[in-house]
Amino acid sequence: RTLMSQDSTPLDSDVLDDQAKFNAIAHWSALPGTSRHHWGTDFDVFLQAPIENGYRVQLTPEEFSENGPSFALESWLTENLELFGFYRPYQIFKGGVAVEPWHISYRKIANDYFKQISHKELQQVYQAFPFIGSSFASDQLINYLEQYVFSAD
């Protein structure tokens, strides 16, 4: 996949150092074991009607803006989500993960998972099941968790 900057422009990974590559990837994707989707507490939503009319979903914040195809959903979520115990952890950019107005989280269970995350356990998993960049990612875990995972709440 194309490596993207925070403003969604393509990056040339050949000219980036490891830290810049890591930050660019982390802005859009979670490290193994840290994805809220994988915890089973989070999911992405999009309005069905545009898809039925041939619209190809891009999952960009613009799709949820006033002129976007999911603005009706955006409005409903803003008014109703918390009534059911859900919230949007990436509604505001906090210096880590990109704004994702389509990303929905079930607060009670997600909060329980936050209490269980251990950078030491993740490092052990990364050693046992290495992936490309796992050594670098392992060295970054404490800062990564603070900037990209815990900052969502």
Side-chain angles (χ1 to χ4, degrees), residues 28-87:
W28 299 102
S29 300
L31 285 176
T34 67
S35 170
R36 298 167 67 100
H37 292 287
H38 297 168
W39 300 349
T41 61
D42 292 42
F43 55 94
D44 295 336
V45 296
F46 195 86
L47 198 58
Q48 182 68 29
I51 296 169
E52 290 172 353
N53 291 326
Y55 182 81
R56 185 167 180 233
V57 176
Q58 304 296 309
L59 288 181
T60 64
E62 294 77 25
E63 291 174 319
F64 284 73
S65 69
E66 191 171 342
N67 295 319
S70 282
F71 183 67
L73 176 60
E74 167 67 24
S75 299
W76 187 91
L77 291 172
T78 298
E79 292 178 22
N80 296 288
L81 204 56
E82 291 187 23
L83 297 172
F84 301 99
F86 291 89
Y87 75 112

Side-chain angles (χ1 to χ4, degrees), residues 13-152:
S13 62
D14 293 333
V15 300
L16 300 176
D17 63 19
D18 287 343
Q19 187 65 57
K21 287 179 194 175
F22 181 83
N23 291 342
I25 292 168
H27 182 71
W28 299 102
S29 300
L31 285 176
T34 67
S35 170
R36 298 167 67 100
H37 292 287
H38 297 168
W39 300 349
T41 61
D42 292 42
F43 55 94
D44 295 336
V45 296
F46 195 86
L47 198 58
Q48 182 68 29
I51 296 169
E52 290 172 353
N53 291 326
Y55 182 81
R56 185 167 180 233
V57 176
Q58 304 296 309
L59 288 181
T60 64
E62 294 77 25
E63 291 174 319
F64 284 73
S65 69
E66 191 171 342
N67 295 319
S70 282
F71 183 67
L73 176 60
E74 167 67 24
S75 299
W76 187 91
L77 291 172
T78 298
E79 292 178 22
N80 296 288
L81 204 56
E82 291 187 23
L83 297 172
F84 301 99
F86 291 89
Y87 75 112
R88 293 186 280 183
Y90 307 117
Q91 185 69 1
I92 299 169
F93 182 65
K94 299 178 183 176
V97 176
V99 171
E100 295 184 351
W102 55 85
H103 188 118
I104 308 301
S105 181
Y106 186 62
R107 187 180 300 278
K108 182 182 181 324
I109 297 175
N111 287 348
D112 290 343
Y113 275 98
F114 275 140
K115 297 172 191 169
Q116 298 177 38
I117 294 176
S118 161
H119 76 278
K120 290 184 180 190
E121 287 181 9
L122 285 170
Q123 286 173 326
Q124 291 172 350
V125 171
Y126 293 177
Q127 278 186 321
F129 303 96
F131 53 88
I132 295 172
S134 61
S135 178
F136 186 85
S138 185
D139 292 342
Q140 302 293 313
L141 267 174
I142 292 174
N143 291 333
Y144 169 82
L145 290 171
E146 287 299 320
Q147 184 173 359
Y148 295 95
V149 179
F150 300 138
S151 69

